[in-house]
Amino acid sequence: MGQIKDACLPQVKISESYNYIGTFLTFSCNLKCSYCINNFESQPRCVKYRHLSGKEWALGLNRIVSKSDLPITLQGGEPLLHKDFTYIVNNLSSGLKIDVLTNLCNKEIFNNINPERLKRKAPYASIRVSYHPEQMNLESLIEKILWMQEKGFYIGIWGVMHPLQKVKIKQAQKLCKKVGIDFRTKEFLGEYNGKMYGHYRYPDAVLGGNHEQVLCKTTELIIGPDGSVYRCTADLYEQRKPIGHILDADFKIEDKFRPCDWFGHCNPCDIKTKTNRFQQFGYSSVEIKI
């Protein structure tokens, strides 16, 4: 990395083509879901990275110059397990919007955060809570969400439509609607009983087999727990070589195609056909030239 001096790092301007800023604070998680997307193509594992401190995260993220409709999303793993989660939220520049992806394992942490800091104009909640029936109690989760709503947080629930859990997810959605909680679903990505689930812009990218060299361009800024920046979530999860570091004085976003030897072993999140941040369908995280 280049030399680091507090408050002297140059700005990092987000490209106009970018749709997401994913900040993976930690891969630690209090749940052990059987279908965790972090373990796609791999045996369940704890991805080990050095964790940046809260001060380091604030220093690195405050370099970012983003659009008003493009937040920094704090996620994991379970981001609330980062020891400095509150510090990070409370020390990011007021010009940066913040979203959180969490299973809400520790709602008390939000006692020390102003609800207004996690609000913005968007067609979906800025705090998005994942519900996993095989690991979580719905009644307890509903109590937590209602508690958060009473405090003024913009919060909702999302459930993965795994083949084994569709009925439970739909039941949960119906119950949440009755009590005034926004509950949305997203499709299950990956393989189950020999069948690949999900809609993909590049279906061959997740079929395995031989590696194929392609050119790939991302529309996301993906930052790992140690501050390293990656081409895609597949590189992050597999701990492949990063393309930079958020605390490197020389780091800048390059909106360009990069060579990749891993086509066929992409992570479903990267090549899924989905909605963008404006809830417009047809977007995918990467563009690939085969």
Side-chain angles (χ1 to χ4, degrees):
M1 294 192 301
Q3 188 175 5
I4 298 173
K5 294 182 180 180
D6 285 1
C8 292
L9 289 172
Q11 293 179 334
V12 174
K13 294 185 178 180
I14 299 298
S15 169
E16 283 298 317
S17 67
Y18 273 41
N19 181 73
Y20 192 76
I21 302 172
T23 303
F24 294 75
L25 299 184
T26 177
F27 278 116
S28 298
C29 187
N30 56 304
L31 303 181
K32 302 295 180 182
C33 298
S34 61
Y35 52 86
C36 182
I37 196 67
N38 291 11
N39 296 323
F40 181 75
E41 274 209 340
S42 302
Q43 295 298 317
R45 67 195 188 284
C46 177
V47 182
K48 295 181 179 179
Y49 284 93
R50 182 182 82 83
H51 286 178
L52 293 185
S53 67
K55 183 178 180 180
E56 288 173 314
W57 272 120
L59 178 62
L61 295 179
N62 282 335
R63 303 175 61 188
I64 294 175
V65 178
S66 185
K67 296 164 282 189
S68 61
D69 58 20
L70 181 55
I72 289 175
T73 300
L74 306 180
Q75 60 189 87
E78 174 47 56
L80 301 189
L81 295 181
H82 191 288
K83 64 182 181 64
D84 295 330
F85 177 83
T86 301
Y87 179 94
I88 295 168
V89 173
N90 289 335
N91 284 275
L92 289 187
S93 166
S94 60
L96 294 172
K97 304 298 183 182
I98 305 172
D99 281 10
V100 180
L101 304 186
T102 176
N103 61 46
L104 206 57
C105 60
N106 177 18
K107 67 180 178 63
E108 306 299 331
I109 201 169
F110 289 95
N111 278 321
N112 300 311
I113 295 173
N114 186 337
E116 296 301 318
R117 189 64 189 92
L118 299 175
K119 285 184 179 179
R120 63 187 182 87
K121 292 182 179 180
Y124 49 86
S126 53
I127 303 176
R128 300 188 286 283
V129 180
S130 56
Y131 169 55
H132 305 284
E134 69 177 24
Q135 294 278 303
M136 300 169 69
N137 178 272
L138 179 60
E139 288 72 23
S140 175
L141 181 61
I142 287 176
E143 289 180 3
K144 290 180 180 180
I145 299 295
L146 293 176
W147 180 86
M148 293 281 288
Q149 286 183 339
E150 289 177 0
K151 285 187 167 294
F153 289 98
Y154 185 24
I155 188 168
I157 301 178
W158 294 71
V160 176
M161 295 294 279
H162 189 281
L164 287 179
Q165 299 175 354
K166 284 184 177 181
V167 173
K168 289 184 178 180
I169 291 293
K170 285 296 185 181
Q171 290 173 340
Q173 186 179 41
K174 185 177 181 179
L175 180 57
C176 286
K177 184 177 180 180
K178 288 182 178 180
V179 297
I181 296 175
D182 180 24
F183 189 117
R184 307 189 190 190
T185 63
K186 52 185 177 181
E187 64 179 345
F188 167 64
L189 303 177
E191 185 178 348
Y192 176 72
N193 278 352
K195 179 181 177 181
M196 182 63 71
Y197 288 81
H199 292 84
Y200 304 105
R201 182 176 180 182
Y202 307 97
D204 292 343
V206 292
L207 295 180
N210 295 329
H211 299 174
E212 184 176 341
Q213 188 174 73
V214 298
L215 293 174
C216 185
K217 182 170 72 171
T218 185
T219 60
E220 301 185 342
L221 177 59
I222 302 296
I223 311 172
D226 66 349
S228 294
V229 178
Y230 293 86
R231 298 177 300 183
C232 58
T233 54
D235 279 5
L236 168 68
Y237 295 147
E238 298 299 334
Q239 294 183 280
R240 297 177 188 141
K241 185 178 179 180
I243 59 174
H245 195 283
I246 195 63
L247 293 177
D248 188 337
D250 297 324
F251 174 69
K252 62 181 178 180
I253 290 176
E254 297 179 282
D255 191 8
K256 67 179 185 180
F257 284 90
R258 299 174 186 272
C260 177
D261 297 324
W262 292 96
F263 184 85
H265 298 267
C266 300
N267 188 278
C269 287
D270 293 318
I271 44 86
K272 171 188 176 183
T273 303
K274 54 188 175 183
T275 57
N276 63 13
R277 68 185 187 280
F278 305 114
Q279 296 294 279
Q280 299 165 331
F281 187 76
Y283 158 80
S284 67
S285 301
V286 299
E287 181 182 350
I288 298 175
K289 291 183 178 180
I290 300 174

